[in-house]
Amino acid sequence: MLDSKTRAGRMWGMPALMALLLAACVASSGADAGEVPARVLAIGDIHGEYAGLVSILREVGLIDSQNDWVGVEAVLVQTGDFMDRGPGVRPVMDLLMKLEHQAPEQDGRVVVLLGNHEGMNLIGDFRDVTPEIYATFATDDSEKLRQAAFKEWGKWLKKLARSRGGSAQSLGDDDKVQWMAEHPLGRWEYQTAVGREGEYGHWIARRPIAVKIGDTIFMHAGIGPKYAHLSLEEITDLYRGQFETLFEDRASLAKEGIVPSFFDLDEMNSALIYQVKNPPIEQYSSTRKSRVIDRTAANLERLQALLLEDSPLWYRGYTNLTADELSELMAQLEETYGARHFVVAHSPLMSGDIQQRLGGRVFLIDTGMLASFYQGRPSALEWRDGGFAALYADGERQTLMEVEDDAMVPAGGASNRLRNDRPGLAVPAWFQSRHGRDVRLAALPPQGPQAEGWKKPERVIRGPDGTPLPFRTVPEVEEFLRTAKVVNVEAIPEGVTKPKKVLLEAGGVQAHAKFGYNDFKGQGEKLADGTTEMYFQDR
């Protein structure tokens, strides 16, 4: 058993502490929305895609040309992950907040749920916040704030060095250039705005994790076996308490000077790891500071069970489980929550189509709206008169499940009403290597009447001129990468790992590839020997 300080070092050393975000439950749980409205529309991950959000809201008739609410007696459920990655995070939040206030005037309702990315931002994990997003929060004082923070950081480094019996070197021009690049203009205004007491942060922290409307539960990711014995209210209370504890611990750490108040989660992690591994010399030793670190370690020990990907804001079982496994889980959830349908997002679908599983007991609605990142399209799941349909911004409509007005078909027997039962693909491993761990998914298992004869579509890899390349398997691609000659190298002006675009050639075949350094940190990572490393890093 590790002592408390060592535990603190290991836990705080995991940037994937973002799983604490699942604690971001709200003043009201949103567990039950009462009577079933005439029309419910659910929209999945937005990720700052403002134009896409507007296009689908207009297409389904919820807003007019001025982006004002016109959905009479309609309910909009947005299942979280409206933040990060796309440049329009701020206008997306402004629009959702406005519609939330306007909808009741026409007997409508807007329910915005909490996603893992909203929680990440609340706890200071800004890994997916881009300079373009920060820039939308910049003001005339942004440069002044950035310069002041740099000076404070330098003073803190010197104080930290003295407390360890040394002296800090003066920060040079190169240090400043690097620091400024890592802290873009607008960073401080953004951090304040999405913080606990900020204009947006206060609103975000009040988002519910789940809402039950009639016999349907809407949420971002899903409830797995570990949490299936808890009610929606109990899940909310559990996470809300732990989330508040994190806020209190961070405030104490800043008050005691253990970390500067403006540190984000990653900077705070690094500072705590250093201090735990390098205790202060006797004259700078502080019992009070030690208690703060020990208390933080104890709190994190209690949080450890919540730091894995089976939590309700990270669970991907509704996409990745086999049909038999998912059916078993759904039977438990249907009994616990009195629900017939579960609507979730979180796992972007490569097909760009809303998918159903188990004859409509589960609907997967993350169609990768941020096309520049996921190559998907805006969509909405419509629940009307007992039936479900997928609606798209280009006007396409796909009927997923039809139910007669005079008879509600039990969820387990809904497959005979199913339409458009073709299976889809969740984002595969090769896409994860491009876009990171947050979209790591397996193929959606075949299901429905056509499942037996279904074959995975052939993947076509194209060269620089758009013509198909002679690769049909992953080993063939790997062999080409190992043996090809580098013809040209270009810098890619995006990404923190400074990747390079390379043109490769072998056997008369040319193909582009990306070269970069690996820097991976994960939680609950399963290793080749079958063990699980709680705090995994491969740099």
Side-chain angles (χ1 to χ4, degrees):
M1 179 64 71
L2 299 172
D3 61 45
S4 60
K5 287 188 177 181
T6 303
R7 290 198 304 269
R10 290 194 64 184
M11 291 180 182
W12 285 107
M14 182 187 69
L17 191 60
M18 58 187 172
L20 285 173
L21 53 84
L22 48 83
C25 298
V26 295
S28 63
S29 68
D32 200 324
E35 296 183 3
V36 179
R39 188 182 187 218
V40 180
L41 292 120
I43 293 178
D45 296 23
I46 300 170
H47 284 301
E49 178 49 67
Y50 177 72
L53 174 62
V54 168
S55 68
I56 188 62
L57 289 175
R58 289 181 181 175
E59 175 62 31
V60 301
L62 292 185
I63 63 174
D64 61 17
S65 60
Q66 302 302 311
N67 297 339
D68 290 320
W69 181 267
V70 292
V72 178
E73 298 184 351
V75 173
L76 168 65
V77 180
Q78 199 286 311
T79 57
D81 272 15
F82 46 84
M83 301 184 76
D84 285 344
R85 298 190 171 131
V89 169
R90 187 169 193 172
V92 162
M93 293 191 292
D94 288 338
L95 178 58
L96 291 174
M97 294 168 73
K98 181 182 79 168
L99 298 179
E100 190 178 52
H101 288 288
Q102 290 181 341
E105 298 175 1
Q106 300 190 47
D107 297 323
R109 186 183 180 196
V110 173
V111 182
V112 181
L113 303 179
L114 190 79
N116 56 307
H117 281 266
E118 285 71 60
M120 288 166 61
N121 279 270
L122 283 173
I123 66 173
D125 188 335
F126 302 144
R127 68 181 64 191
D128 289 320
V129 184
T130 66
E132 290 77 17
I133 296 174
Y134 286 132
T136 63
F137 288 80
T139 67
D140 293 340
D141 293 328
S142 292
E143 184 58 37
K144 184 185 300 183
L145 291 170
R146 187 164 66 156
Q147 294 290 341
F150 178 75
K151 291 181 180 179
E152 185 177 344
W153 177 58
K155 292 178 180 178
W156 176 80
L157 287 176
K158 291 180 180 179
K159 182 179 179 181
L160 184 65
R162 286 197 303 270
S163 69
R164 269 62 186 174
S167 59
Q169 296 180 350
S170 298
L171 297 174
D173 292 340
D174 291 343
D175 297 314
K176 187 172 184 178
V177 169
Q178 179 179 347
W179 194 88
M180 292 295 176
E182 294 171 351
H183 298 80
L185 291 175
R187 159 71 181 272
W188 277 263
E189 292 91 338
Y190 178 88
Q191 191 167 349
T192 299
V194 303
R196 186 184 190 184
E197 304 300 331
E199 174 188 1
Y200 297 101
H202 179 69
W203 176 75
I204 294 168
R206 291 165 45 234
R207 301 302 91 208
I209 278 186
V211 63
K212 182 182 178 187
I213 301 177
D215 61 2
T216 301
I217 289 178
F218 301 81
M219 61 189 308
H220 179 63
I223 301 172
K226 184 176 179 179
Y227 294 86
H229 65 287
L230 299 176
S231 69
L232 297 181
E233 293 81 1
E234 288 170 333
I235 292 174
T236 292
D237 291 342
L238 173 64
Y239 295 153
R240 179 176 24 168
Q242 299 295 349
F243 194 77
E244 287 299 316
T245 296
L246 174 63
F247 280 129
E248 294 168 4
D249 287 341
R250 289 184 61 127
S252 297
L253 291 168
K255 181 179 179 180
E256 295 299 330
I258 298 172
V259 298
S261 61
F262 59 81
F263 266 19
D264 64 18
L265 184 63
D266 188 58
E267 292 167 331
M268 184 181 71
N269 290 342
S270 299
L272 286 168
I273 291 174
Y274 176 83
Q275 293 181 67
V276 167
K277 292 183 176 181
N278 301 275
I281 59 178
E282 185 174 355
Q283 69 184 92
Y284 288 97
S285 181
S286 168
T287 301
R288 187 171 60 251
K289 290 183 179 181
S290 296
R291 287 175 178 171
V292 171
I293 294 178
D294 288 346
R295 184 179 69 245
T296 300
N299 289 335
L300 287 173
E301 186 81 3
R302 287 189 289 271
L303 287 173
Q304 184 166 337
L306 305 179
L307 301 178
L308 298 173
E309 292 184 347
D310 59 0
S311 64
L313 290 186
W314 283 94
Y315 187 62
R316 299 193 193 272
Y318 295 8
T319 303
N320 293 343
L321 292 177
T322 66
D324 288 343
E325 293 170 337
L326 183 59
S327 182
E328 181 179 354
L329 173 60
M330 285 298 108
Q332 181 181 1
L333 298 180
E334 288 162 358
E335 180 178 357
T336 300
Y337 302 106
R340 294 174 181 267
H341 310 284
F342 290 79
V343 178
V344 298
H346 183 53
S347 300
L349 298 169
M350 190 178 177
S351 65
D353 291 347
I354 289 176
Q355 303 287 338
Q356 63 76 39
R357 299 196 65 187
L358 304 180
R361 293 162 78 182
V362 175
F363 291 97
L364 310 174
I365 66 170
D366 183 0
T367 55
M369 183 183 300
L370 182 59
S372 61
F373 193 94
Y374 295 108
Q375 302 175 10
R377 57 175 173 165
S379 64
L381 177 71
E382 181 186 54
W383 179 25
R384 192 172 192 171
D385 300 327
F388 292 86
L391 311 180
Y392 301 92
D394 60 4
E396 180 182 357
R397 178 186 180 91
Q398 300 170 350
T399 300
L400 301 178
M401 191 178 78
E402 294 179 339
V403 179
E404 286 87 353
D405 294 341
D406 59 351
M408 279 296 294
V409 177
S415 60
N416 65 335
R417 303 289 182 185
L418 184 64
R419 303 293 185 271
N420 187 35
D421 190 33
R422 65 181 184 275
L425 291 178
V427 179
W430 65 267
F431 195 85
Q432 172 206 357
S433 67
R434 173 181 173 183
H435 292 308
R437 180 175 175 78
D438 189 44
V439 291
R440 177 178 57 83
L441 297 172
L444 183 64
Q447 54 189 292
Q450 282 86 38
E452 183 176 351
W454 178 79
K455 294 182 180 180
K456 182 177 180 179
E458 183 180 23
R459 181 188 303 164
V460 177
I461 303 175
R462 300 184 182 277
D465 59 357
T467 59
L469 295 176
F471 306 132
R472 293 295 177 266
T473 66
V474 172
E476 290 177 355
V477 175
E478 293 175 343
E479 179 64 19
F480 177 81
L481 292 173
R482 278 193 296 266
T483 60
K485 179 180 66 174
V486 176
V487 178
N488 186 49
V489 179
E490 299 177 9
I492 300 177
E494 296 179 359
V496 297
T497 59
K498 310 303 181 186
K500 303 289 186 181
K501 179 180 179 181
V502 295
L503 178 62
L504 304 177
E505 182 176 6
V509 175
Q510 286 193 342
H512 279 133
K514 185 182 78 172
F515 173 81
Y517 296 99
N518 188 53
D519 186 0
F520 174 76
K521 299 175 184 179
Q523 55 183 23
E525 191 70 18
K526 293 184 179 180
L527 305 182
D529 61 2
T531 62
T532 298
E533 177 63 38
M534 189 65 180
Y535 313 110
F536 179 81
Q537 179 171 336
D538 181 12
R539 170 168 283 174

